[in-house]
Amino acid sequence: MNLKTSNDLKEMNDNITHINLRKQMILTRTLVSAINEVDENLTHKELADSVAFILYEYYGKNNYNDFVDVLKSKIQ
């Protein structure tokens, strides 16, 4: 049996955090680029409408509350 040390677990956690942060940065850049391509003056309502459509079509109702909770925590 291969038991991980606390340093191994910390390194794994740091790697996962780094991967998630990298994904978030790439997604953010891509979204901003897409918004600028569509309309540099896109309103918050237009953005919300598009995000709502993506949630509805690709993520399902079971994820709505979690999405809103994360969004609220990030913008406070």
Side-chain angles (χ1 to χ4, degrees), residues 24-72:
Q24 288 175 2
M25 290 169 47
I26 291 169
L27 180 57
T28 299
R29 280 194 303 256
T30 303
L31 288 171
V32 169
S33 178
I35 289 168
N36 287 337
E37 186 176 316
V38 171
D39 182 354
E40 289 182 2
N41 299 310
L42 192 76
T43 68
H44 63 281
K45 182 179 179 334
E46 292 168 323
L47 176 60
D49 286 342
S50 292
V51 170
F53 178 79
I54 291 169
L55 280 172
Y56 178 81
E57 286 293 319
Y58 297 97
Y59 290 88
K61 282 186 170 185
N62 57 315
N63 292 300
Y64 293 176
N65 289 334
D66 288 341
F67 178 86
V68 171
D69 290 344
V70 170
L71 184 60
K72 284 180 179 178

